[in-house]
């Protein structure tokens, strides 16, 4: 199902911002709110980083650093394509001149139109499900990428449940491990996209 989904998204013929938002969230599984409201100022093309201020994340702990994720070559390619169509504040903006992001429900409607809406055959997929798929597969293929638990949690911006642990680890950024993990994930998705079996 994931291979079919990846191919469907890359071949989607609808609105470019919707298509690119779905491609982006495949590679970098943000929460829907952070995806939809993503701003160009949060993209550091020179250092290939996504930097979202902490107060915009679900975990708004003021003692924690901003959410920082490495951007793979595939994600940079998606963003460069999107830059051809969307100038202004928001990365995934509506069609026309208004400088507003696409509606939060629009990517899910696009998934429905692509046929990912059936509970019976297990194809009902929504944006939040991309995060679960990502986590399940990076755990499944741990022996391939060898990235530790803490970095895998940080990729989804999950905080340690224990307050003492949070106090000792909140400044760790795991960037090197995250770079390895996200490169592996983007390459895995690219392999699915190019698999014609």
């Amino acid at each position: 199902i994931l291979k079919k989904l990846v191919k469907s998204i890359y071949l989607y013929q609808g609105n470019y911002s919707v298509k690119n938002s779905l491609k982006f969230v495949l590679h970098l599984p943000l929460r829907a709110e952070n995806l939809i409201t993503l701003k160009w100022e949060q993209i550091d093309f020179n250092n290939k980083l996504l930097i979202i201020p902490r107060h915009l994340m679900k975990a708004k702990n003021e003692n924690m650093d901003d959410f920082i994720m490495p951007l793979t070559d595939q994600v940079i390619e998606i963003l460069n394509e999107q830059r051809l169509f969307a100038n202004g504040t928001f990365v995934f903006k509506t069609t026309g001149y208004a400088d507003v992001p696409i509606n939060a429900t629009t990517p899910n409607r696009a998934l429905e139109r692509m046929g990912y809406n059936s509970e019976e055959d297990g194809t009902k997929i929504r944006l939040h499900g991309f995060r679960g798929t990502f986590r399940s597969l990076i755990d499944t293929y741990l022996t391939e990428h060898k990235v530790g638990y803490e970095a895998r949690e940080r990729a989804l911006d999950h905080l340690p449940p224990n307050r003492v642990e949070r106090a000792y680890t909140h400044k760790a950024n795991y960037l090197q491990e995250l770079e390895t993990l996200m490169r592996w994930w983007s390459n895995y998705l690219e392999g699915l996209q190019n698999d014609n079996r």
Side-chain angles (χ1 to χ4, degrees):
I1 292 174
L2 180 59
K3 181 167 74 172
K4 185 182 172 196
L5 174 67
V6 171
K7 288 176 179 289
S8 297
I9 288 172
Y10 271 82
L11 294 171
Y12 182 61
Q13 297 296 307
N15 177 278
Y16 61 84
S17 279
V18 176
K19 177 179 182 175
N20 283 333
S21 71
L22 287 169
K23 285 164 56 178
F24 184 93
V25 79
L26 267 175
H27 288 270
L28 210 164
L30 295 176
R31 291 182 177 92
E33 182 181 340
N34 295 119
L35 173 72
I36 299 307
T37 60
L38 190 66
K39 296 179 178 178
W40 287 113
E41 67 187 32
Q42 295 165 351
I43 309 292
D44 181 345
F45 282 97
N46 292 331
N47 296 303
K48 294 173 72 172
L49 293 172
L50 168 69
I51 305 167
I52 300 179
R54 176 52 51 194
H55 70 274
L56 297 176
M57 299 301 291
K58 181 178 179 181
K60 302 183 189 312
N61 186 329
E62 61 197 36
N63 295 318
M64 288 186 63
D65 289 336
D66 294 339
F67 178 72
I68 301 175
M69 283 292 287
L71 300 175
T72 62
D73 291 341
Q74 293 91 332
V75 172
I76 294 291
E77 187 178 326
I78 294 164
L79 290 168
N80 280 331
E81 182 182 315
Q82 184 64 12
R83 276 205 291 193
L84 298 174
F85 304 108
N87 49 22
T89 305
F90 297 99
V91 175
F92 304 113
K93 68 183 278 293
T94 57
T95 306
Y97 297 108
D99 191 16
V100 294
I102 58 175
N103 188 288
T105 62
T106 303
N108 283 334
R109 285 203 303 267
L111 289 168
E112 288 176 28
R113 283 195 296 277
M114 285 184 251
Y116 296 96
N117 200 36
S118 172
E119 298 271 11
E120 290 81 38
D121 62 12
T123 60
K124 184 167 184 177
I125 299 168
R126 295 295 174 264
L127 275 186
H128 193 75
F130 286 37
R131 291 169 59 81
T133 299
F134 168 77
R135 184 53 193 265
S136 295
L137 286 169
I138 63 172
D139 285 356
T140 300
Y141 291 102
L142 178 60
T143 55
E144 290 192 19
H145 57 72
K146 299 176 177 64
V147 171
Y149 173 80
E150 292 82 4
R152 285 180 278 140
E153 284 287 273
R154 189 60 59 95
L156 293 167
D157 199 44
H158 289 165
L159 297 182
N162 183 300
R163 260 185 8 182
V164 174
E165 187 182 348
R166 281 200 304 272
Y168 283 103
T169 63
H170 71 281
K171 290 296 182 185
N173 66 20
Y174 304 101
L175 265 183
Q176 199 168 4
E177 280 191 283
L178 286 170
E179 192 173 327
T180 298
L181 178 64
M182 301 318 290
R183 188 184 316 112
W184 178 86
W185 178 243
S186 277
N187 289 341
Y188 177 80
L189 292 173
E190 192 171 61
L192 293 178
Q193 182 193 350
N194 296 326
D195 185 351
N196 292 317
R197 287 175 290 163

